[in-house]
Each structure stands twice: as structure tokens, then as C-alpha cells.
Amino acid sequence: MNKGAKIGISTVAAAMLAAAGYGAYSFATGGSEPDAGKPRTVVAEAPSPELAAAGAKAFLEAWAKGDLAAAGALTDTPEAATATLTAFKQKVNPSGLTLTPGGPAPAAPTASGAPTASGAPTPGSAGASGTPAPAPAPAHQVPLSFKAKLEFAQTGTPWSYDGVLGMVKMSDGKAAVHWAPTVIHPKLGTGESIAVKPVTSPASSVVDRKGKALTSASITPLLGQIKAPVPDGSAEAGTAVVITDDVGKAKPETVFTIVDPKPAPPLKLTIDADLQKAAEAAVQEASKGGTLKASIVAVEPSTGNVLAVANAPATGQNRAFLGAIAPGSTMKVITSAALMEAGVTPDTAVACPDATNVGGQDFKNDFTEAHPDFKFRQDFAQSCNTAFINEGKARLKNDSLPAMAKDVFGLGLVWQTGLSNFDTVVPAPKGSNDMVAEFIGQGRIQTNSLSMASVAATVQSGTFRQPILVQGLPQAPAKRQLSADVLTGLRTVMNETVRTGTAAKLMSQMATGAGAKTGTAEVGNQAAANSWFTAFRGNLAVAAEVESGGHGADAAGPAAVKLLQLGNG
């Protein structure tokens, strides 16, 4: 595409600052490059209008000619500037580039594309395209505008936009461009990349995994937020200059379309319309008609496909994916996995006292009586906090739970689900009290229904498969799997909960191939605890939570069980 490329810089006169205001000034030519071998630093003084204009012109000339090392040397951060300019040339690859100096600008843009009051770019943690971060923004700058025009072989329509250079004075007495990604384009921020990519038209409609139209209350508000992959070489795809978040969380932004995409077919989600309908009804009932906040997610363990997602209220936050709340005793699934790797089995004798004390803090159970003869399967099934705390203190290390959550269950990895989602946080405990609180799903753990449905799915299948809402998205792998013995033990205690434990009144009639864990999470000054429930049955895993819903079996449990009864047909 670069063959026969056109480059150029306009040498028009520019209006510049003068002693009594703005006056006309014609750019000088040559002599703008810094002396070789002499390191330059920014000084606490703005360059004169003449110096600023000469420095801007020299920079734009070098960039337009493709002499990117020279252009980088005319900035206050040569290495970062050269790397980002090189990435821009390689990834955008225009057939022609014309850069025209302008005059004074209102303000230089920040690294995120918004002007600051002082006209200084704000520093970022990383530059575009993985380049080093821009230098801290000097206070004394002269902002100068320029116009960019890029041409592409595939279209006769050029891409034109206005940019701003923040000119600073250097220790050698010359002016340089203060480097920030916004020099490339005003919308390019730190931690972002700009490149030509395939693009498709928005889907005209959205269908479930079987091709049925989706119009559910919780899904409809999210449709415009879905990030679907664009296959390279797709017959329907066009091409465009796109700004993307380097970690893949933000929605890509198209800044110029080179070739228009063809009309897109319906977008197929992993959602199952029947399960989705049931999820909507279940969460509405659990939330008492939307008066309580609630969410529910169903996941297919064999694939990681999200089969249903519903929220109450349906038009509020996508709480199922973006919630960041303590999971209560549903976290005991992960604590149990860590304990079993440390030697506990379902039949290990682990007493359940009525209370225990750690560092002066009392911990109790939801029931008042002690059970000194309990085995671990009963501790899990009846959700005995004190047994988990005492056994965890004796067998687990400070980092045991965070490591298990991330390495086996994928919690804390960066998930690309097709929608914005909150990645679960299981922080390293700050002390013994913090550690034991995490054993029972309290403390500083933050998660949501999506993540806890994935936990149940991982137990059912034996392998973490990151949940996705759109086929073809990358699925982050976990570091390892549980051993066969530990996995069997974990399934055993979850099944015990279904047969004889806190989930028995809801699931005892469907115990074969099923497992569950109830949860009650104490949060702040709420009058009632949050209700949690996570379970699997066959090739279906579900998690639900209801704010202030009380015990897990009272509010979240009935909602989840409605989906488990329907099954994954």
C-alpha cells in the first residue's frame, strides 16, 4: 500500500503570538534539529512564538516525510515518540500523508483526548501501542494547531482531522513537541492503539443460539454494548481506522471508515431464549417485582457459553456482570478446594463449634448449636463458618485462597465476555482476621453472579472455561486443574448440600448429578443480608444473588432452581 505513497507538509503562513497579541509569522526553514549527543531537558519557560512555530514545522515535516527518528528527536520524549509514530505508520499505513501547520490553539489535548485548563497534557501510565508513557506535562506550553490529511489506496476520500501540538522550550534554547499519544490523534489516549482493522455493520437484530429473536427485558438494554469479534477476511467486513483499548475492556472506536462494511446478518449470542425467559421471570419474583436489586446468570459448563443473564431492575446496572459484592458462603466452594488440596477429605472429622475467636473477633454460624462430631461434608452442607475458619487457620497459608481462586477457577483473570464485566477480586489478606473472613466469603472479596456461576461450572466440568456471550471471543485459560481426587471430593460435598444440607428443601428431588452451595453475605449496615446461591445440574450451572434477600435458600435459591429445573436442552 506504501508503494508510490505521497507525503508532504504545507508551508502556509501561520498566525502566531506577538508582543501585543497575535500577529502573522512565516515559518523559517531548516535548523530545527537538536545537536547530536547533547541531552535536552524541558525548562520552566514557554518558548517564544517564533521558536514554537519553527519547532512545530520541523516536527511535522519530519513526520510527513517518514523520518520518524528525526521527528521523535524533535519531542521531549524521543524514544516514546519514535516508537508510537512507527507503530502508527505500520498499523495505519496510509498511501499519502499531508500535515499542515496552523496557528495558536485553545489548548493542547490531554492523553485521554480532553483539554486541560492549563493546556497541558496529563501524563499516563503507558503510551499507545505499548510504547513508554509520555513525560509529565510541563506547565509552560504554547499550543499550536495542525491539520492532518491521510489518503488510502482503497478509497478516494481522504481522512482529515485537526490536531494540537503542545510546544515546550528545551535546555538548548529550541522548542520541542511535548509528547503524548494525542499528538497522533486527539482521541488517542494512553494504553490505547490505533490501527486499520476489519469492521462490520451493527447487527440488524439479535438472536439466541438457536436463531430465535431476543427481546427480553434484561438483554435489550445491553445490545448496544455487546462487543462481537470481527473475523479477518470476512466477506461482509469493511476496513476502518480504529482506536482500541490495549487490554480489550473498552469498546473500540472507529475514527475513519476506509471501506464501508456490507449489511450485517443477525448477531447470534450464546443465550438460550427459553432459559432467558425463565431467568427474567425468576429474578423478578426473587426481587419482589424489582423492589430489591438482584441478578442471575446461567452458564454451560462444557463451553463457558452464557445461556441466560437477567437483572432487577432490568433497565439499571448490568449487576450480573458488573456487580462487585461479597459472595458470602458460596466462596466456601473455593475454600474447600484449597482445604482438600491441603489434605481434607469429605469424611475428615472437622468439629463445628458454636463460635470461634480470631484476634479478638468473634465468628458465629447461622445456627446456634455446636456439632463437635461433624465431618467436613456436613460442615460444608450446613455451612459451618467456625469449622471453615478453624480448619483454614490450621491448614492454609495467607495466599492459598487468592491463588486457588485465580489459578483453578479463573477469578481475577481479565475476561472478555462480550460485555463490560467486573473481574472478581480476591485480595491477599492483610492479617489473620482478613484471611479467615475471606474463607467464608466476607472481607474484601468482590464478585458477581457471572463469576460464581462460573465457579459452579468449573466444579461440574473439572475445567475452567471463561464465560462468553458471543462465540469466537478469546477465553482466558486457568493455570491448572484440580486433581481427580480433589474434584471428586468437591462434587461430593456440593451434592451433600443438595441431599441433606441447606439446599435440600429446594433440590433434594433432583440430587443426581447436582451440587449446590448457599450463601448469606453480611454487607455494611444493611438490615438484611444478601442472599446467594450457586449450583449445577447436568450441563448447566447457575448463580443468583438478591440484595437484602436473607438466607441463600430463601431468595436466590428458588430463582436459580427454576433454571436448573428447566435444564440445558
Side-chain angles (χ1 to χ4, degrees), residues 337-393:
L339 286 171
M340 289 181 182
E341 285 198 338
V344 173
T345 72
D347 294 318
T348 298
V350 180
C352 175
D354 60 352
T356 190
N357 185 282
V358 178
Q361 182 179 0
D362 289 327
F363 292 88
K364 299 181 180 181
N365 303 309
D366 280 347
F367 45 87
T368 57
E369 65 275 12
H371 295 278
D373 57 344
F374 263 13
K375 295 179 179 179
F376 185 67
R377 66 170 68 227
Q378 294 164 303
D379 294 315
F380 185 96
Q382 301 302 329
S383 204
C384 179
N385 293 333
T386 56
F388 272 82
I389 289 170
N390 291 342
E391 201 68 11
K393 280 173 52 186

Side-chain angles (χ1 to χ4, degrees), residues 406-408 410 413-414 464-466 474-480:
K406 186 173 185 178
D407 294 348
V408 173
L413 298 176
V414 176
F464 166 70
R465 294 181 176 88
Q466 183 222 290
Q475 291 175 276
K479 186 175 181 180
R480 64 184 181 89

